[in-house]
Amino acid sequence: MRDAIRERFIELFSTEPYFFRSPGRVNLIGEHTDYNNGFVLPAAINKEILFAVGPNDTDTIRLFSYDMQEQATFDLARIAPSDISWANYLLGVVAQFQQSDYQVKGFDLVFGGNVPIGAGLSSSAAVECGLAFALNHIFGFGLDRFALAKVAQKAEHEFAGVRCGIMDQFASLFGKKEHVIKLDCRSLDYSYYHFEMSNNCIVLCDTQVKHSLASSEYNTRRQECETGVALLHKHYPDVSSLRDVTVDMLEKHRQEFDPVVFKRCIYIVQENSRVEAACRALEQEDLVLFGEKMFESHEGLQHNYEVSCTELDFLVDQAKEHTAVLGARMMGGGFGGCTINIVRIAAIDEFITAMSKAYEQQFKIPLKTYIAEIVDGSSMLS
């Protein structure tokens, strides 16, 4: 694909480009904890977006989506959200630089990649981070990776209309080969943990469904968590988020909670503890224990946070039947999308064959699978 993107850039713009790459991400454990100031454990993966970029000495930006085979041109003096949805992720990045008084000059861009759209691997963050990284290099803005992650996050907020946390952009920029990142979503402190990939692999199973409940239920979950925090704050003034809460606190005041709100809160508190336990397991090179925490996470998401669905539960139940699977859970907001599975490399083909057959028999939908390696974050290519 890199050769094809380069050739198209030269064909369109008659010059040799700079080349950059920006990866998608998975989240091994720590779901719905980000907006509760908790912990997450993402990693950058080898599904990535490639960028051929070059300055053009004009006051316009010329964009070409290799995947969509569409072209668009915009005046730098009038950057605003567009009717072209794929362009908005790029325009949002340009706008953020402009709002911070960094002078973006005219440039040409051809981009494309193999991050599956709609599979929960953060293709949008990969696009935003990749362009931010590229423009920062080409125009010499001198921003560090954290500042670029904030640029990309704000681009998503303001031009794509998605009020995302910073995990996706952070993982795309800060990824490290064969390491996961423990990110504290309150302080934004982070640390790396080695993830043994010589005998194991990450396999994603894509349900190819997205139930209509997803967006409305997401907002409801946030509200339910805030309700729980408000109740506990009356008893514990230092409690400002579920990050500050323990299981003992919840149990002590259980009778005051709406039962549904209690379930939401106890899931978040337990999930934060699971992330920390999973990190200790990685320190001990114990992927079996790590996998157990993944299975526990799914049970919490299924029964207490109630954001799973029949298709996701089926895939996790099937994964439990395979001795080569160390752990599995739903990944992302829920109500569809992917499960993430840690599978022994020697059994990958057998696992994918069995899962695909079972899923299609059950739901009459073909199962898409992706094998993911953990890679470095956004970078310039030679």
Side-chain angles (χ1 to χ4, degrees), residues 8-169:
R8 180 54 62 90
F9 186 94
I10 294 171
E11 176 188 311
L12 289 170
F13 308 120
S14 303
T15 186
E16 192 73 40
Y18 295 94
F19 241 95
F20 301 86
R21 52 166 284 281
S22 191
R25 67 98 188 96
V26 292
N27 186 29
L28 277 295
I29 193 169
E31 213 64 74
H32 289 276
T33 48
D34 54 349
Y35 55 83
N36 287 291
N37 286 339
F39 299 110
V40 291
L41 200 68
I45 60 169
N46 62 333
K47 306 298 179 189
E48 48 196 22
I49 306 294
L50 298 175
F51 301 80
V53 193
N56 62 22
D57 299 319
T58 73
D59 293 324
T60 63
I61 56 175
R62 298 182 292 188
L63 310 175
F64 184 83
S65 168
Y66 187 84
D67 299 330
M68 303 292 291
Q69 290 293 300
E70 293 179 1
Q71 190 168 6
T73 300
F74 299 92
D75 186 339
L76 276 169
R78 291 189 289 274
I79 296 298
S82 159
D83 292 335
I84 304 170
S85 59
W86 59 262
N88 283 332
Y89 300 104
L90 305 163
L91 295 172
V93 171
V94 173
Q96 288 306 314
F97 281 130
Q98 290 178 329
Q99 289 172 25
S100 299
D101 294 326
Y102 290 98
Q103 187 181 2
V104 179
K105 299 175 184 177
F107 66 88
D108 299 321
L109 168 68
V110 177
F111 76 103
N114 62 357
V115 184
I117 305 298
L121 304 186
S122 295
S123 56
S124 61
V127 170
E128 294 150 355
C129 292
L131 183 63
F133 189 92
L135 297 182
N136 186 56
H137 177 86
I138 290 171
F139 298 125
F141 296 151
L143 296 175
D144 62 20
R145 288 177 185 260
F146 179 73
L148 295 177
K150 296 292 285 184
V151 165
Q153 181 193 26
K154 288 181 180 177
E156 183 111 2
H157 288 182
E158 296 181 12
F159 274 64
V162 178
R163 303 294 298 178
C164 61
I166 203 169
M167 177 181 71
D168 296 348
Q169 291 80 8

